[in-house]
Amino acid sequence: PDRLHLAAFDLPRGEVQPVWLTIAIPEDAPPGSYETAVRIRAEGLAEMSVPVRVRVWDFALPARISLPNVFSLSSQLVDAWYRGREFGWDELKGEYYRFWLEHRLNPTSLYGIMQPPAEDLDETLAGGMNAFVIKYIYSGGARAEEEYFQQALEDLAAWDEVLAERDLYDEAIVYLADEPAEKQSITDEINRRARIIGERFPRMRRMLVLTRPVDRAFDGSVDIWCPIVGAMRPEDVREAHERGEQCWWYSVGHFFDLDMPAASARSMTWLTFKHDLDGILYWVIQSGWRAPNRPASFHPEPGETIWEAFDPAGHGGRNGIGNLCYPGSDGRPWSSQRLQILREGMEDYEYLVLLRAALADRPDAPHASLLAVPEQFATEYPVGTDAAFITQRRDAIGEALDELLGGAPTR
């Protein structure tokens, strides 16, 4: 199954059950090859042993995330699923922060209650967070009302003090609008609000998410453009950079659906590096948590599954869309194969950044060709695509970094 959690399981005769292993390497582990074994015990059978060999490179990934990202975390969906009875956000938020950060994702939110609040910045920044959203400014409904905007300005004023004191303007994001319609009255209102924010808080960065290419009707209002994958144009990225602006991209229906080849979930970061994009965004990874847990009587035993009614289908009937983790029986998130593969992609990006830095003064070095992202990387793949081209490329970059860095500090 897509979900991953540690528990004993029954295996009927004649069936095969893959087991996903994640090996965490201590930062101070000496480089070299290590050998161990995985032991399998089944009732009525002799213990079996599977050899495992791990190579530890002579370099370390940075503790701080390099690729800015928003893979939205919702405290409200946590409370909705667990109904605030047996488990609650306030008791478990540290676990969720760590879970996001362990996957090199920022524990921040686009909608509802913004995460993290100012009082949790020490914890999340220490864990490697490099971007966080502080306010959602405009949409239909209540956010379209002037009263909401005036309150938002008060909230931004409070954040301005925090950002100034801690020098966090380069990490904070003001979320201007989410996929606004191409309508003059809406464009005018977003521009009005963005102009006021820019005048009062000139160091704050304003992001706009679009289902269309970069729309110059918002010129002067946007510091971070974020078009959908299908509308991203490399020339828009270059022109944004020339104006001193950033350009991210975001996915809906690309890379992370349940039925896509494994290579998909690992590709967005490589293509981000290829096109010199500044960040990636995915609107939520808990979409399937919207319905309250069933049954009404909720008293799980340790290890018990409590989401028999969990539906992996997202909007539009796309399996797994918006859902990369599962609500565990103890209130903590359970990972998925797709999320683990995404983490590999986030680490691939770290390899590329390290190699680019190592080659900055040696552009003619033999390893320079490894910075060119292979043409096999794509936004969509046919079923059955073999992901070996990704692992082979990462291994080649690892060899190069091992030679170039040789234990040099990268933190």
Side-chain angles (χ1 to χ4, degrees), residues 259-339:
D259 303 319
M260 293 176 174
S264 294
R266 197 165 174 175
S267 293
M268 192 177 192
T269 55
W270 287 84
L271 293 171
T272 298
F273 187 87
K274 175 180 179 177
H275 296 298
D276 200 22
L277 287 147
D278 300 290
I280 59 177
L281 183 147
Y282 198 58
W283 84 102
V284 68
I285 70 171
Q286 304 156 271
S287 181
W289 300 30
R290 295 175 188 275
N293 176 62
R294 302 290 193 273
S297 176
F298 175 37
H299 300 288
E301 298 297 327
E304 178 186 355
T305 295
I306 51 82
W307 45 273
E308 291 90 341
F310 189 89
D311 185 359
H315 62 75
R318 304 182 70 104
N319 291 330
I321 191 170
N323 201 87
L324 296 178
C325 61
Y326 296 86
S329 57
D330 57 358
R332 294 166 175 81
W334 286 349
S335 191
S336 68
Q337 292 187 37
R338 291 166 296 139
L339 187 57

Side-chain angles (χ1 to χ4, degrees), residues 43 45 51 83 96 106 109 144 151 163 170 187 190 206 226 228 247 257 261 287 336 339 341-342 369 374 382:
E43 185 176 348
L45 297 174
R83 296 180 297 177
Y96 281 79
N106 292 312
S109 312
Q151 180 60 55
L163 302 181
D170 289 341
T187 299
I190 293 171
R206 301 156 297 177
C226 191
I228 197 169
C247 191
D257 288 9
S287 181
S336 68
L339 187 57
I341 295 169
L342 169 60
S369 62

Side-chain angles (χ1 to χ4, degrees), residues 123-349:
E123 179 179 0
T124 51
L125 289 168
M129 182 177 72
N130 71 353
F132 57 98
V133 179
I134 59 175
K135 198 66 184 179
Y136 186 0
I137 300 300
Y138 178 84
S139 69
R143 292 191 189 92
E145 302 296 328
E146 185 63 21
E147 182 180 0
Y148 173 86
F149 179 52
Q150 293 304 316
Q151 180 60 55
L153 290 173
E154 293 184 20
D155 295 341
L156 291 178
W159 268 110
D160 194 48
E161 295 181 7
V162 174
L163 302 181
E165 179 181 353
R166 305 189 60 155
D167 192 21
L168 290 174
Y169 289 106
D170 289 341
E171 289 77 20
I173 296 170
V174 178
Y175 195 56
L176 281 181
D178 186 270
E179 302 179 341
E182 198 168 358
K183 186 177 179 182
Q184 191 60 49
S185 60
I186 293 175
T187 299
D188 290 344
E189 180 59 18
I190 293 171
N191 281 334
R192 182 184 75 88
R193 296 187 182 197
R195 183 180 67 254
I196 293 171
I197 292 169
E199 290 171 352
R200 295 193 187 183
F201 315 109
R203 297 186 63 190
M204 287 188 181
R205 303 183 305 157
R206 301 156 297 177
M207 172 185 277
L208 183 64
V209 164
L210 294 167
T211 55
R212 54 191 185 272
V214 167
D215 187 343
R216 300 297 298 275
F218 295 101
D219 268 10
S221 295
V222 179
D223 304 293
I224 305 172
W225 301 93
C226 191
I228 197 169
V229 166
M232 189 283 294
R233 302 183 302 197
E235 61 268 27
D236 288 339
V237 181
R238 292 192 296 270
E239 291 171 5
H241 290 167
E242 290 170 0
R243 297 191 300 270
E245 300 158 358
Q246 290 191 2
C247 191
W248 295 26
W249 62 342
Y250 78 102
S251 171
V252 175
H254 284 88
F255 301 117
F256 306 117
D257 288 9
L258 190 58
D259 303 319
M260 293 176 174
S264 294
R266 197 165 174 175
S267 293
M268 192 177 192
T269 55
W270 287 84
L271 293 171
T272 298
F273 187 87
K274 175 180 179 177
H275 296 298
D276 200 22
L277 287 147
D278 300 290
I280 59 177
L281 183 147
Y282 198 58
W283 84 102
V284 68
I285 70 171
Q286 304 156 271
S287 181
W289 300 30
R290 295 175 188 275
N293 176 62
R294 302 290 193 273
S297 176
F298 175 37
H299 300 288
E301 298 297 327
E304 178 186 355
T305 295
I306 51 82
W307 45 273
E308 291 90 341
F310 189 89
D311 185 359
H315 62 75
R318 304 182 70 104
N319 291 330
I321 191 170
N323 201 87
L324 296 178
C325 61
Y326 296 86
S329 57
D330 57 358
R332 294 166 175 81
W334 286 349
S335 191
S336 68
Q337 292 187 37
R338 291 166 296 139
L339 187 57
Q340 296 301 104
I341 295 169
L342 169 60
R343 174 165 61 184
E344 292 296 315
M346 295 296 291
E347 292 178 352
D348 295 341
Y349 188 89

